[in-house]
Amino acid sequence: MVRHATTGSIFLAAFFLAVTAFTASVAAQTLKSNIQKMTGWQSCSACAGAGGSGPVATFSMTQFQTSPSLSGASSRQHISGSTPYSNAIWWKQLGPSNSSTHFIYNIYFYLRSPSYAQALEFDVNQSNGVHKFIFGTQCNIKDGHVWDVYDPAGHAWRSTGIYCGAPSAYTWHHLTWELYRDSTQVHYVSLTLDGVKHFVNRAYNARSSSTKEVNVAFQMDGDKYMHTYDTWIDQVSLKYW
């Protein structure tokens, strides 16, 4: 007797197929390594706030730091100021890759005063001339203590329910995000922090866009008191195919 698959089994099959895609041998991969050392990083403060028009912080990026560092050339990101909840974002354009659908974002980060951070954001963005696929992720340290992912079409953060408190101080933390997109949606497959993997399994609609790009981004959010703090990032890489 032929048994018809239930909606749940179809959903699970599709999910495990997506996960398998990240473990399979894939030809024609592009790997950008030590992105923190590359020239041409861009940054802003107001655009990092709600609606792209937030309060302005004092911020800077200082590359080629030998300590603390894993590679011998980390980058120190700094934020300070007097306006509560002001933020700063840095991003690096890597060139267009319209046909790429899978992305693995690796980053190591280090803080001396993690309790001063409101949130830390780690993003991958792709535009293929039709859609803008925003893979926005943040460790929401002080407002929920969870990992959030971004809903591009909904213009909103969505809680994953996965815990994310303040990272320990004076320690290098390793974060990996596995992501993919289809023709119209972004898919958050999994995150791995310090060797502990969590499957996210969320999908949201992309936005329309006529641009063509791939970039990675890192953002620091200031808290209510705008405590001054630094984050060092190292061995930043993006693999995509």
Side-chain angles (χ1 to χ4, degrees):
M1 179 177 66
V2 177
R3 298 184 61 186
H4 295 283
T6 65
T7 302
S9 63
I10 293 172
F11 177 80
L12 287 173
F15 170 63
F16 285 115
L17 181 62
V19 173
T20 302
F22 285 95
T23 60
S25 176
V26 181
Q29 291 181 344
T30 298
L31 175 62
K32 302 289 186 178
S33 300
N34 279 316
I35 298 172
Q36 83 284 349
K37 294 169 57 175
M38 294 181 178
T39 60
W41 278 80
Q42 299 171 264
S43 60
C44 74
S45 180
C47 75
S53 183
V56 176
T58 300
F59 64 100
S60 64
M61 175 179 184
T62 308
Q63 294 176 288
F64 302 103
Q65 301 292 292
T66 57
S67 180
S69 180
L70 297 171
S71 67
S74 64
S75 177
R76 179 172 66 88
Q77 324 298 113
H78 168 87
I79 188 171
S80 60
S82 58
T83 306
Y85 302 117
S86 52
N87 312 317
I89 187 170
W90 298 263
W91 69 95
K92 174 61 180 130
Q93 296 287 0
L94 301 173
S97 182
N98 298 341
S99 62
S100 293
T101 56
H102 290 70
F103 304 87
I104 300 178
Y105 183 19
N106 268 290
I107 185 170
Y108 288 81
F109 61 97
Y110 179 107
L111 297 97
R112 291 174 176 165
S113 303
S115 63
Y116 290 172
Q118 180 73 22
L120 298 173
E121 184 174 332
F122 311 86
D123 307 331
V124 175
N125 299 285
Q126 181 198 35
S127 297
N128 64 356
V130 180
H131 291 101
K132 184 175 183 67
F133 301 95
I134 302 173
F135 298 95
T137 78
Q138 68 174 3
C139 177
N140 198 340
I141 296 170
K142 291 188 175 179
D143 186 12
H145 312 290
V146 295
W147 280 101
D148 295 328
V149 294
Y150 194 67
D151 173 355
H155 300 268
W157 288 101
R158 310 296 186 188
S159 172
T160 66
I162 299 169
Y163 177 79
C164 191
S168 56
Y170 296 93
T171 301
W172 281 104
H173 299 279
H174 181 202
L175 174 65
T176 301
W177 271 99
E178 295 176 293
L179 314 156
Y180 84 96
R181 60 93 174 169
D182 54 29
S183 59
T184 60
Q185 289 190 316
V186 297
H187 294 258
Y188 299 91
V189 178
S190 69
L191 71 92
T192 303
L193 180 62
D194 296 336
V196 179
K197 189 166 190 173
H198 303 273
F199 288 100
V200 178
N201 191 28
R202 298 291 184 92
Y204 301 98
N205 291 328
R207 299 179 188 174
S208 59
S209 174
S210 60
T211 61
K212 297 179 180 180
E213 64 179 352
V214 171
N215 65 60
V216 296
F218 172 68
Q219 177 169 320
M220 295 165 61
D221 291 358
D223 67 2
K224 178 180 179 180
Y225 303 102
M226 275 312 292
H227 287 110
T228 297
Y229 72 101
D230 299 318
T231 307
W232 286 260
I233 59 173
D234 207 346
Q235 294 185 351
V236 182
S237 69
L238 183 68
K239 181 183 291 186
Y240 48 102
W241 64 94

